[in-house]
Amino acid sequence: MSDLLTPEVELEIAALFANPDQALALYHEVDGLTCKLSFREFIRSAWPTIEPDTEFIENWHIDAMAEHLQAVTRGEIRNIYIAIPPRCCKSSIVSVLWPAWSWIEWPGSKWLTASYAMPLATRDAMRTRRVCLSDWYRYHYGDRFKFTSDQDTKSWYENNRGGYRYATAVGAGTTGHGGDILLVDDAHDASSVLSETERESARLWWRETWSTRRNDPKTSARVLVGQRLHEADVPGYVIEEQEEFVLLILPMRYEIDSKRRSTSLPAWQDPRSREGELLWPSHFDEAATAELEKTLGEWGTAAQLQQRPTPRGGGLIK
């Protein structure tokens, strides 16, 4: 490195410190380029645009989601299910920031997004739009695309490069709409997933409606994210019936067999090694996790936190 510090380079560095405006412009240029190349870095820099009063708490599970989603955008993964406990930044990263990042390099991509409730799908679509219209995003990437005025609603908006985002609810019709990326964030409502009718309706929608909306069956991606809620939920169907899906399993407490349940990127593995080691101890510490486990009970803990809807020892949810 010292060989690079020639007298000429040293003079340029000194000039930057002597000219704060020039140094700041260089910083912004590097920041914009770094975030364009790395979704992980984009999350860190874009976080204040969606959570201005909430500190971003870094953790390896966020990096893991970013790495896998970046692989989806770049065509390295076509189908993935991410199993993660609630309140671990899932929607902010997957449903809000990821589409905004993907539009930097791929502004023509078409997105179909869904959740079990239309207000949730609409909320995240609006938050993505706010990111794209933020001063920070427009400063760096404002030349990539602009939103059109003839199709610009809360649940369906387009840009001038042919890309769009259409938000809907699980179970709703999507006739006439196709996507390059089909994203479902929480296929079930925890309060109604015990209904066999509700579960079968969601699975039928996934098989016969949602999965037929791919613009190109050879290249379009399907992304499912959310915690397990029942043995016969949509993620259960994906795990058992659709072997082409990559599985990123992130239980709240580490379990030795959770590593075997994942089929993620070859270079990635859960960094934990001790049984019971927490997913995000700086946010959900031992006391907070124990309180949540007590609230959810044995069944809720096994499903929503540990991503296996049957507690150890067996049994079926009645």
Side-chain angles (χ1 to χ4, degrees):
M1 179 63 71
S2 60
D3 293 339
L4 298 177
L5 292 178
T6 64
E8 292 78 9
V9 171
E10 290 179 345
L11 286 174
E12 291 183 12
I13 294 175
L16 286 176
F17 281 100
N19 188 333
D21 291 338
Q22 186 178 356
L24 183 61
L26 178 61
Y27 166 79
H28 285 308
E29 183 177 349
V30 172
D31 179 49
L33 179 59
T34 301
C35 293
K36 175 184 175 182
L37 297 175
S38 169
F39 180 42
R40 179 173 56 185
E41 296 303 323
F42 180 89
I43 293 170
R44 289 164 170 75
S45 292
W47 185 260
T49 67
I50 61 170
E51 296 289 351
D53 296 324
T54 302
E55 179 187 3
F56 176 69
I57 304 176
E58 300 201 35
N59 197 57
W60 62 265
H61 81 283
I62 295 176
D63 295 343
M65 287 193 289
E67 183 180 356
H68 284 76
L69 293 171
Q70 179 166 310
V72 174
T73 299
R74 295 182 173 168
E76 299 164 11
I77 292 177
R78 287 191 50 242
N79 302 289
I80 185 171
Y81 167 51
I82 300 175
I84 185 170
R87 316 312 305 164
C88 289
C89 293
K90 164 183 62 70
S91 294
S92 294
I93 292 171
V94 181
S95 295
V96 178
L97 294 177
W98 179 41
W101 178 78
S102 296
W103 266 3
I104 297 171
E105 196 66 37
W106 190 15
S109 58
K110 298 170 175 59
W111 293 68
L112 297 187
T113 59
S115 183
Y116 69 83
M118 187 64 194
L120 295 179
T122 301
R123 176 202 66 186
D124 290 338
M126 291 173 59
R127 294 178 77 201
T128 295
R129 190 178 183 280
R130 291 193 190 111
V131 172
C132 295
L133 291 176
S134 68
D135 292 340
W136 176 83
Y137 190 94
R138 295 177 70 180
Y139 176 89
H140 291 299
Y141 317 114
D143 61 332
R144 302 298 294 154
F145 65 87
K146 299 183 184 302
F147 288 106
T148 61
S149 58
D150 55 339
Q151 183 54 61
D152 190 8
T153 65
K154 293 180 179 180
S155 60
W156 182 13
Y157 45 79
E158 299 180 356
N159 65 45
N160 63 344
R161 299 289 297 278
Y164 62 71
R165 177 167 181 168
Y166 180 81
T168 188
V170 171
T174 56
T175 302
H177 299 283
D180 301 310
I181 295 182
L182 280 61
L183 167 62
V184 176
D185 183 350
D186 287 334
H188 300 274
D189 180 3
S191 64
S192 61
V193 74
L194 294 183
S195 164
E196 184 178 354
T197 300
E198 190 275 341
R199 295 193 306 273
E200 178 56 32
S201 175
R203 291 199 305 268
L204 186 66
W205 173 85
W206 173 273
R207 292 194 307 265
E208 300 185 3
T209 299
W210 191 248
S211 293
T212 67
R213 297 294 91 199
R214 288 173 287 180
N215 282 340
D216 186 339
K218 299 185 295 296
T219 60
S220 295
R222 289 175 295 173
V223 177
L224 176 64
V225 60
Q227 64 270 15
R228 294 297 307 275
L229 293 172
H230 192 279
E231 289 181 315
D233 56 13
V234 169
Y237 168 77
V238 166
I239 291 171
E240 293 177 9
E241 304 293 335
Q242 301 187 295
E243 297 180 357
E244 71 272 20
F245 268 70
V246 168
L247 306 177
L248 178 61
I249 311 298
L250 301 170
M252 181 69 85
R253 291 186 184 275
Y254 182 67
E255 296 174 346
I256 299 299
D257 69 339
S258 64
K259 185 175 295 187
R260 293 195 298 270
R261 287 187 283 153
S262 287
T263 59
S264 56
L265 290 171
W268 186 86
Q269 64 177 3
D270 194 312
R272 297 173 289 181
S273 59
R274 292 183 291 103
E275 187 80 9
E277 192 172 348
L278 294 176
L279 175 74
W280 196 7
S282 59
H283 185 59
F284 279 107
D285 60 14
E286 182 61 42
T289 302
E291 181 179 358
L292 185 57
E293 290 169 336
K294 182 179 179 180
T295 300
L296 290 174
E298 183 183 15
W299 295 104
T301 295
Q304 296 189 48
L305 301 188
Q306 296 306 113
Q307 313 311 317
R308 45 170 178 76
T310 301
R312 285 179 170 174
L316 295 174
I317 296 177
K318 296 182 180 180

